[in-house]
Amino acid sequence: MCAIVSAPGISLPPILIFPKKHFKEIFIVDTPDGTLGLATKSGWMNTGLFTNVMEHIVKHTHSSLADPIILIMDNHESHLSVETLEIAKNNGVNIITLPPHTSHKLQPLDRTVFGPLKIFFNDSSNSWMM
């Protein structure tokens, strides 16, 4: 899953990446409206998919040169293709990347949403199993 959340806590529809050779619409039946479904053999993000992600961001934020946004992300090689950067530049998406090997400490969603969720989920799962 690729999650995108704004500073005030408003989230964009999720992006779900499936470990399949081909994506099928049935994969995202009953998901939130606007969910973007993608597929790669490995199930991991790649340069081609991230172009779709950038288009998804532009579509749902309505960013433009007149009304730009700031996107904070790690600088993984899959995020930095020329095509993706052109889409961002042409649509008012200003990208700030986190320094290498620091995202585990600096990545906003991991620190404020997914980290606490993981702790709560693990504690609840352990209690239930006991």
Side-chain angles (χ1 to χ4, degrees):
M1 180 177 120
C2 177
I4 302 161
V5 179
S6 69
I10 299 166
S11 64
L12 298 187
I15 299 146
L16 304 176
I17 303 170
F18 297 90
K20 300 285 184 186
K21 190 171 184 178
H22 301 288
F23 174 76
K24 296 180 182 166
E25 288 295 323
I26 195 166
F27 296 165
I28 58 171
V29 170
D30 294 331
T31 60
D33 289 341
T35 297
L36 175 62
L38 302 168
T40 62
K41 191 173 180 179
S42 68
W44 291 96
M45 182 67 71
N46 64 34
T47 304
L49 293 187
F50 199 74
T51 301
N52 297 80
V53 171
M54 186 59 70
E55 291 169 346
H56 182 78
I57 292 168
V58 169
K59 175 183 175 184
H60 289 283
T61 62
H62 308 290
S63 65
S64 66
L65 295 175
D67 191 17
I69 64 168
I70 297 172
L71 177 64
I72 301 171
M73 61 185 190
D74 62 18
N75 62 358
H76 190 269
E77 64 185 20
S78 67
H79 301 158
L80 301 174
S81 71
V82 172
E83 185 179 0
T84 299
L85 295 175
E86 283 294 321
I87 293 168
K89 179 181 170 184
N90 294 335
N91 290 284
V93 179
N94 297 296
I95 298 173
I96 297 175
T97 60
L98 302 173
H101 310 293
T102 62
S103 62
H104 67 289
K105 290 291 186 186
L106 298 177
Q107 210 161 37
L109 285 178
D110 284 346
R111 303 298 295 168
T112 60
V113 178
F114 296 121
L117 176 64
K118 182 178 176 181
I119 291 167
F120 178 78
F121 181 82
N122 287 338
D123 289 348
S124 296
S125 296
N126 290 338
S127 294
W128 182 80
M129 286 191 278
M130 292 298 204

